[in-house]
Amino acid sequence: DQQVKQNSPSLSVQEGRISILNCDYTNSMFDYFLWYKKYPAEGPTFLISISSIKDKNEDGRFTVFLNKSAKHLSLHIVPSQPGDSAVYFCAASESSGSRLTFGEGTQLTVNP
Amino acid sequence: GAGVSQSPSNKVTEKGKDVELRCDPISGHTALYWYRQRLGQGLEFLIYFQGNSAPDKSGLPSDRFSAERTGESVSTLTIQRTQQEDSAVYLCASSGQTGFGTQYFGPGTRLTVL
């Protein structure tokens, strides 16, 4: 039972353009959502988060949007840079516990 | 150290052997988590420690898996009688608070069971 799904295994964009990574979830108890970035041979690095009381959170070039009715969130990166090339994981948690449930990841490639 | 550290970085073992994986969390972090990532998949929760509370073991896949934590420091994940399907990257994370505390991950231990 995959409670968090990232349906696009890969995404390729040109430098300077917007990257949009998508994530869907099925568990209505999730109320905190995070995005992590992972480079090969390294652990995931926290990028940005959003709680269910908000529908948008922005940090520099990164913005996360949450649509609770659709159980969908997205990560926008603008402008995209070659150094952003990595695997991006969406994760979610319930307020009652701290375990994170992860999606399968999306490999982002930003071409110079 | 500044971040979460894990050892060894790589471990190759034969089927049926026991292995121990170590995690040193960020100093002062009360919560510690173990996850694993199989090839091509997302991270899968294994176990969670919070202070002196009983650990949440609900993610452990079988009784061959166990973990301990000494106070609020080092944790050891033990896999007994390893199987080939145990091959994965085992990741440890720590956070400074429960609930919505951001989890900071170590580099992982890549386990290969031959």
Side-chain angles (χ1 to χ4, degrees), chain A residues 15-96:
Chain A
E15 180 177 6
R17 299 291 187 110
I18 185 171
S19 296
I20 300 176
L21 298 111
N22 293 301
C23 178
D24 297 291
Y25 62 96
T26 58
N27 187 343
S28 57
M29 297 300 291
F30 288 148
D31 60 2
Y32 191 60
F33 305 89
L34 308 90
W35 285 94
Y36 282 83
K37 177 170 75 172
K38 187 179 185 302
Y39 294 117
E42 295 183 11
T45 302
F46 170 73
L47 205 52
I48 193 169
S49 63
I50 188 168
S51 75
S52 59
I53 61 173
K54 294 186 174 183
D55 54 18
K56 176 183 174 182
N57 188 27
E58 191 172 351
D59 183 2
R61 296 185 298 113
F62 302 90
T63 303
V64 56
F65 294 92
L66 175 63
N67 182 334
K68 289 188 292 294
S69 61
K71 294 191 175 68
H72 178 84
L73 66 156
S74 61
L75 174 69
H76 293 207
I77 307 173
V78 56
S80 301
Q81 300 173 354
D84 295 330
S85 297
V87 177
Y88 288 78
F89 288 99
C90 167
S93 69
E94 300 178 24
S95 59
S96 60

Side-chain angles (χ1 to χ4, degrees), chain B residues 7-59:
Chain B
S7 61
S9 54
N10 280 285
K11 176 71 176 178
V12 179
T13 190
E14 293 180 348
K15 178 180 172 181
K17 301 275 189 172
D18 298 351
V19 295
E20 279 191 359
L21 312 179
R22 177 187 169 107
C23 171
D24 284 271
I26 293 171
S27 178
H29 276 191
T30 57
L32 186 147
Y33 314 78
W34 283 96
Y35 295 85
R36 74 175 174 183
Q37 184 183 17
R38 291 168 159 167
L39 189 64
Q41 298 185 20
L43 280 72
E44 174 189 359
F45 168 78
L46 296 177
I47 188 169
Y48 156 57
F49 296 90
Q50 171 56 44
N52 295 321
S53 301
D56 176 358
K57 303 180 182 179
S58 59

